Amino acid sequence: MAEIFNIFSVLRIESDEVTTHSRFIAELLNPKGVHGLENQFLELFIKTLGIKTKLDTNNCTVSVEAYQGKVTETTDGSIDILVR
């Protein structure tokens, strides 16, 4: 049953993507996050996705709702989570 556990369902905030989901995930990915685990979550995320990189994850910044350009018919002008 653990594979269907959803913390957002437990907290009854399944549909509040911008103010909860993205911020929560971004905080975990942030090597300077208050979780105190430095780059461990970001490293695991990159490894899980199978990305080969020489990125210095200790110096990455993580942004939520980062502006990426004008709103169009196919884009909303921002990206949910941006890792630089």
Side-chain angles (χ1 to χ4, degrees):
M1 273 295 184
E3 66 275 358
I4 59 171
F5 176 77
N6 183 334
I7 188 67
F8 301 113
S9 295
V10 172
L11 297 173
R12 296 189 178 152
I13 53 174
E14 300 96 334
S15 63
D16 196 4
E17 177 188 339
V18 173
T19 58
T20 55
H21 303 147
S22 294
R23 289 181 194 268
F24 179 74
I25 294 167
E27 180 63 22
L28 290 176
L29 295 177
N30 185 352
K32 294 167 184 66
V34 296
H35 48 71
L37 295 174
E38 298 177 343
N39 66 345
Q40 290 183 45
F41 288 117
L42 183 54
E43 287 284 336
L44 286 170
F45 180 71
I46 291 168
K47 181 179 178 182
T48 300
L49 293 177
I51 297 171
K52 304 266 190 249
T53 181
K54 294 183 182 189
L55 181 68
D56 180 5
T57 55
N58 285 310
N59 292 310
C60 286
T61 60
V62 181
S63 305
V64 178
E65 290 300 308
Y67 177 76
Q68 296 298 300
K70 182 172 99 172
V71 176
T72 68
E73 289 182 18
T74 57
T75 65
D76 68 1
S78 64
I79 187 167
D80 291 346
I81 300 170
L82 177 64
V83 178
R84 293 182 189 190

